[in-house]
Amino acid sequence: MKLAAAAVALMFTASTPALAAAQLTRDVAPIAYDITIDPNAQAMTFTGSETVTVNVRTATRTITLNAADLAISKATVDGKAVPFKLDNDAQRVTLTLPVAAKAGVHTIAFAWTGKINESAAGFFAIDYTNTDGSKARMLATQFEAPDARRFAPMWDEPSFKAKFTLRTVAPKGQLAFSNMPALVTKRPDGTQLYSFRQSPVMSSYLLFLGMGDMERKTVMSGKTEIGVITRKGVSDQGDYALASAKRLLTYYNDYFGQPYPLPKLDMIAGPGTSQFFGAMENWGAIFYFEPELLFDKKRATESDKQRIFVVVAHEMAHQWFGDLVTMSWWDDLWLNEGFASWMENKTSADLNPDWFARDSAVASDREQGIGVDATAATHPIIRHVETVDQIGEAFDSITYQKGQAVITMIESTLGPDKFRAGIRRYMAKYRYGNTQTDQLWAELEAASGMPVKGFAHDFTLQGGVPLITVSNAACSGGNTLVTLDQGRFGLDAASKTPQLWQVPLRLGTVGGAVTTTAVKSSKPYSVTVKGCGPVVGNLGKGSYTRIRYDALAHAALVANYAKLDLADRLGTLGDDYALARSGDQDFAMYAATLDAVPGDASPLEWSLVSGQLGSLSGLYAGTPLQDRVNALTIRKLGPVLARIGYEAQPGESPLVTNLREDLVGRLGAAGDPEVIKRARAYFAKLKTESSAIPPAIRQPILGTFARNATTADWDDLLALTKAETNPVVKNEYVRLLGAARDPVLAARALELVKGDVLSAQQKPTILRAVAGGHPDQAFDFAVANADLVNGLLEASTRAGFIVSLGAGSNDTTMPDKIAAYADKNLPASSRGGVKRALAGIAVRKAVADRLRAGVTNWAG
């Protein structure tokens, strides 16, 4: 699953009350499901029936499996009706047999009715407008985490793998699609019976069903048919994703050493939104919301295009890591998400070298992973999961981005060839099965002949971030002697609690040879680095650690900044800024590094600097110091934008295109008069031509306009939103309605949540948008209207969503307000999001206080 872009930095918990997720007993297990679903899209209901072939391993009189929000009307075992009891809190149904079922193969059958949801959980609907203005409704399913039980009674746990045969009834002229190809039979009443071929053994959360007034476009890659399924009239926008998927399938078949096993691979574009996810890796039927899959040349930016590749790469990697080989239980979710995140970056680097994806990951993914890991809200990558709530909590930046960074470190330590050999062994040995993390470590050790488990455990079984200090550099005999010692990097007291790791580390002098070592102790020790000159710690930034230098070593690096490789320049900027935030280094040292960035530096460097300046501005929101930081931002970044210009040039690097988008947005947020002037001029043209804004700057120009909107501007934007028929553009305008800096307009945006202008899926979007600039206002509104808001939310976000709205507040009263809300509404097991929000608020205040003097002096 690829998290929605707006949800990447947030950790959500599942619905309340807390639901037990103690695993089902193993005495009965499914072998094969035969399911028939007949939906009534207009009534938002469906009927279902199924026969499940099961293996009874131990004689038993009771059989328990999962079911939620289903009205079960009949249950039989081996053709005989049996009584059953639904436990709605536990999301289970238990059958009681008159006599014990003997060990062996049996059949269980159910009939039921269910509901089609408005939000993306279980079986759900997406309402949209066709290109001709007619109204339409698409149906789709979303089962991760455990929501397959809302579709049919199932053993809804990842280790209960089984084969699935699915049938469904679709209206005349509509297309239905699932994991496997279908045989379509026309029925006398004009409807169509879709009979899908039986799937390979797979986990229940990977089953998929969709239907609607859709069209399908295909290409072949070897023996595999790759398809893109869209609403009618926009399938050509899937051409880029199709071409990318074809390249990726060839890459993955080779890398994993196991060919993709299904006959087809569909990518389904849904014209809706989710509070939580952007795409889902259903085996052979990957679901995406449209912006994650379709490239609209008239409106999409270069970063949109790159994100499409990245998301497709992520979800296709899951066809192996997650679908072919699946974690045994949610404790090891990172085996799915960490590896898919790592593969999205690796394929981007190998197949699109002009994106500099490995370097970009140092500035983005690495920093995201460390962000929460360096606070009191940290947790191990492998975390024990006991409740459904905790499953939802596991989908966070530590699972994704830290997981990705740790895999990067292991590959860097073993070497790419040995690492891949271990992955191939793992795939071959456990295909169609379930695993735990130690089984992966064993295969990597067998392939490489190197110890992996020891140092890998340090990074997966405990939270936190190592801090390696490089000091006392001295050149002698053509080499440089340095002292290394290990501590812990943290942004608050809890995250600074002493802890040790075995940290594999590469060092080198600037432009010199590489020296490898492993820092295992907090005691300082000396290392001889080949060559004489300034020493770079964590060369290439392959290891998951912060690097700190003493004053002399740091000054030498700053003096030689331009000679560093790009990854090391980005890593040094990132480390220095973080060390200033944590109090481990004076802010002036970061300022010196930033001032060393030349005007013609890599666009990735300026994008990182832009983000850091935006972070500093946010720390002092609503204070005079924010105005000074914004003025500094304009002085620093304005000349860079002037150099690359507002208009994309033929043949320019994608990095420059992305930098332009970033700079326009940052300068607009800082109040740059020229950017605001251009935004107003472009929006005036937008009223008569929907594609008037050049795609390269469309999003930041609209963002600048919306942020600085007057009452009249906001009214114009609302009118555009109401008139827009393109669902992607309409959802974009909804977000913009919530972006206004004016609190009066923010209040008007919040009132839209109570009305009927927005769809149920769009209302959480505008709440999130308002929270971006007015967290206190959004939180207070949501608390006052909690029943309304919670009714709009997906189950996986319900306990954490309202809390997350206040997480960006700088108001000293917000922690007490969040705690009071949690005490009243959330059980103790559903408070992972609360812990994260409170830790973030506390860290932000401490960092603002810590940096205030240094920032004041620097900003002038």
Side-chain angles (χ1 to χ4, degrees), residues 218-249:
T218 64
V219 297
M220 293 299 297
S221 178
K223 296 181 180 180
T224 305
E225 182 180 71
I226 306 175
V228 62
I229 297 173
T230 71
R231 57 188 166 90
K232 288 189 174 179
V234 298
S235 60
D236 286 351
Q237 293 180 19
D239 287 350
Y240 176 69
L242 274 176
S244 298
K246 185 172 182 178
R247 298 173 70 203
L248 286 161
L249 190 62

Side-chain angles (χ1 to χ4, degrees), residues 306-355:
Q306 291 185 17
R307 179 166 172 86
I308 289 169
F309 181 93
V310 163
V311 175
V312 170
H314 182 103
E315 301 306 328
M316 286 184 63
H318 274 311
Q319 307 300 291
W320 285 263
F321 258 106
D323 297 4
L324 182 64
V325 182
T326 312
M327 76 268 162
S328 293
W329 183 242
W330 301 101
D331 294 24
D332 289 290
L333 176 65
W334 90 287
L335 284 175
N336 288 14
E337 301 302 347
F339 268 87
S341 299
W342 178 75
M343 287 302 303
E344 77 185 35
N345 182 263
K346 185 175 183 66
T347 54
S348 294
D350 289 350
L351 298 181
N352 302 288
D354 58 341
W355 293 358

Side-chain angles (χ1 to χ4, degrees), residues 713-731:
D713 294 334
W714 195 90
D715 287 337
D716 287 343
L717 183 57
L718 179 61
L720 272 182
T721 305
K722 291 178 177 179
E724 184 58 56
T725 58
N726 183 313
V728 174
V729 177
K730 193 180 189 77
N731 289 335

Side-chain angles (χ1 to χ4, degrees), residues 672-736:
D672 186 305
E674 176 62 22
V675 176
I676 294 173
K677 177 182 175 182
R678 286 176 181 260
R680 292 192 182 283
Y682 273 124
F683 187 82
K685 297 177 183 178
L686 196 67
K687 295 178 183 179
T688 56
E689 173 51 56
S690 63
S691 58
I693 306 174
I697 56 172
R698 177 185 170 87
Q699 290 181 12
I701 283 291
L702 284 174
T704 297
F705 174 83
R707 190 174 294 107
N708 296 282
T710 65
T711 299
D713 294 334
W714 195 90
D715 287 337
D716 287 343
L717 183 57
L718 179 61
L720 272 182
T721 305
K722 291 178 177 179
E724 184 58 56
T725 58
N726 183 313
V728 174
V729 177
K730 193 180 189 77
N731 289 335
E732 179 184 36
Y733 289 166
V734 169
R735 284 189 291 272
L736 293 171

